[in-house]
Amino acid sequence: MNKNRKAIKVIGLMLCLLVGRAWTARAANEESNPVTAADAKILGEIHEHSELMDNLEYLSDEIGPRLTGSPQLKRANDWTAEMFKKYGLTNVHLESYTIPHAWERGKASARIVAPTEHPLTIASAAWAPNTKGKMHGPVIYFDAKKPEDYEKYKGKLKGAIVIFQEPRPLSPPNPIDQNREIYHPLEEPPPPAGQPAAPDPYENYLRVAKERTAFLKEEGVVAVLRDANKPHALLNMTDGTTEPFQMGLLPTAFITGEGYRLIYRMLKKGPVEMEIEISNSLSKRPVEVYNTVGEIRGSEKPDEVVILGAHLDSWDLGTGSTDNGTGSMAVLEAARTLAKLDLKPKRTIRFILFTGEEQGLIGSKEYVRAHKSELGKISGALIHDSGTGRVLAIGLHDNYQDRQIVDQIIAPLGELKMLEPTTAREYGTDSLSFDEVGVPGFWCAQEIAEYFKTHHSQSDTFDKVWKEDINQGAQALATWAYSTAQLAETASTRLTPLPESKTWNSPVCASTAVILSPQVTVHNVHDLG
């Protein structure tokens, strides 16, 4: 026993010496590498003094849902600008752009009336027109996979309420793959310079949606029902139009997954009749909306810029906590931390809370358009927009040329337990607006954390947020921004710039992931009108 005790004491002393040497080596490394030392300060400040959750609770509960064009979004703009100022940022301001119409939700109701009565839970899609009062009609499944299939429905849809999506199973729910943003089939690189780009999956989807809606309108359809495709009676939300902020062609509503599948099953047995009424309001005049902007001015190269961003707007069924209050407040926390530590980055770090993202990345596209002359001096734009889950990796969005730089930035951040960068493309968030014009757009690949259940639904509320994980996201944002601002040279622009960005009247969609092919991951395609 005595020999064993002595051995244990010797081992204990050896471990203490090893730990002491490790801490001494770490301290020496931090002293010799100022960026590593700054990283440690950033991580510690957010870990010990984060105000992220308090700010997110205020945004969610006191301001609430922030539909683009709504008074609540303007209130959120003003509040975040005041918070930027409070935290010591400079050049804090709101950058405006104009949308054709704001939209305000009214009432929506529906029920199956034959062969038996079933009440249904629905919500009007945004910017969809109203029904002409309470409409009664047969439900028809518009099973047309291609335009040539439309012919069989000619003259058969007048007065009908139409569904057109084949439902996917809700029970048992598919297991969540937390790493699906990281591990995926190899994607094709951008085309060589001078070669045409591959067909745009968004444009193809948009074309099909427009053709289908025009046909249904011409045939006299009175309303369209969309599958929310979420479990436990959760709804979904997006536009009921293919032209952002303009009135759609047909009254359109989302219906719970359970209600949609009930209708689909009943139609297989025989005729189904429904009653539906939708009533909303649209502004008569254009409305001015804003992006919130603040800066930490660069000490050596103030005209060169690193951008951290997220979108402040949300849909209106919940309070927009995970889509995207989490990202917005992580950006705000990164700003607070870097300003408080007074690290004096070489380049300017600009913090932008975009709006209009849910209608097709409108705010970031408007920002890129307004700042066209300075795009060549932006090292990169990192966007946080996938809810509360921790950041697993930095997504490069095909910016292969910057892989080594991002590796070097992430390598010292062992405490964050991040994986190596992924080259995957991300089509559904504001990084795309920058990437399309040659500015490296990066994105936070995150744990899913029930994101696709809560986002766009009435369950998108503050109680779904994971404190430790979202604070880790703020740490990732702040360290990436500071390290990028300290680079000896500006990060490289895209090797193959994409064609000039399209006008925002042809929307790119945002958020929910749908796989179109093994090579292309597209976001929110199934949410377009």
Side-chain angles (χ1 to χ4, degrees), residues 146-215:
K146 49 189 181 299
E148 43 267 43
D149 294 336
Y150 292 5
E151 193 63 31
K152 63 185 178 182
Y153 293 97
K154 275 267 188 191
K156 300 177 181 179
L157 299 177
K158 188 172 180 61
I161 298 162
V162 162
I163 65 173
F164 63 83
Q165 297 163 284
E166 184 174 348
R168 289 175 286 174
L170 286 182
S171 181
N174 292 327
I176 294 174
D177 179 2
Q178 298 289 1
N179 295 318
R180 73 181 188 182
E181 299 278 23
I182 308 300
Y183 304 109
H184 55 84
L186 183 66
E187 293 178 308
E188 296 179 5
Q195 297 297 316
D200 186 338
Y202 293 124
E203 291 299 320
N204 181 61
Y205 174 82
L206 194 62
R207 177 184 56 78
V208 171
K210 286 181 175 180
E211 289 176 355
R212 179 180 59 239
T213 303
F215 178 81

Side-chain angles (χ1 to χ4, degrees), residues 486-507:
Q486 299 304 98
L487 292 173
E489 301 293 338
T490 303
S492 303
T493 55
R494 288 187 63 92
L495 293 177
T496 308
L498 298 179
E500 186 173 349
S501 182
K502 305 173 182 65
T503 64
W504 57 261
N505 287 320
S506 297

Side-chain angles (χ1 to χ4, degrees), residues 270-321:
V272 176
E273 293 187 11
M274 269 188 64
E275 186 178 86
I276 186 170
E277 184 173 16
I278 298 172
S279 179
N280 307 300
S281 59
L282 196 69
S283 70
K284 295 181 179 179
R285 296 182 178 84
V287 174
E288 197 168 39
V289 293
Y290 307 88
N291 297 321
T292 308
V293 182
E295 292 181 345
I296 295 176
R297 190 74 171 162
S299 59
E300 297 181 17
K301 302 177 179 181
D303 60 333
E304 295 183 13
V305 179
V306 175
I307 291 175
L308 285 185
H311 71 88
L312 188 59
D313 64 301
S314 75
W315 291 112
D316 62 331
L317 297 183
T319 58
S321 297

Side-chain angles (χ1 to χ4, degrees), residues 25 59 157 256 269 298 351 406 427 456 479:
L59 179 70
L157 299 177
T256 64
K269 304 294 184 181
F351 306 87
V406 177
Y427 290 92
H456 294 203
T479 50

